């Protein structure tokens, strides 16, 4: 497979990974908002999930940006 083809495949996989992480982030975000609306303390577990998924999304977006730059430079 050509370098361009490999990069395009990696970009598609990275985008899919971001979408999956964003869905998980959304679920933890909903749990936190529900707790706040109910005037309860959000679960530490939900807060941890939210922070973890947000961080993973940032890392994956950086990876996607690098892949796009690499493809652009070919």
């Amino acid at each position: 497979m050509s370098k361009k083809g490999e990069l395009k495949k990696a970009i598609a996989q990275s985008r899919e990974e971001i979408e999956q992480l964003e869905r998980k982030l959304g679920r933890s975000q909903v749990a936190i908002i529900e707790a706040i609306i109910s005037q309860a303390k959000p679960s530490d577990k939900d807060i941890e999930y939210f922070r973890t998924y947000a961080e993973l999304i940032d890392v994956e977006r950086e990876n996607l940006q690098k892949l796009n730059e690499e493809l652009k430079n070919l």
Side-chain angles (χ1 to χ4, degrees), residues 1-16 60 63-64 66-72 74:
M1 185 180 263
S2 72
K3 181 72 173 172
K4 243 184 184 177
E6 289 175 13
L7 283 171
K8 287 180 180 181
K9 184 176 180 182
I11 288 169
Q13 290 173 338
S14 182
R15 286 183 178 149
E16 179 61 31
E60 194 59 40
N63 180 49
L64 180 59
K66 288 176 186 176
L67 291 170
N68 278 320
E69 278 296 315
E70 194 174 337
L71 181 62
K72 180 182 170 186
L74 280 182

Side-chain angles (χ1 to χ4, degrees), residues 28 31-37 39-47:
S28 63
I32 291 169
I33 291 171
E34 283 179 4
I36 291 170
I37 289 172
Q39 297 180 346
K41 182 184 179 297
S43 161
D44 289 339
K45 194 179 221 182
D46 289 329
I47 293 170

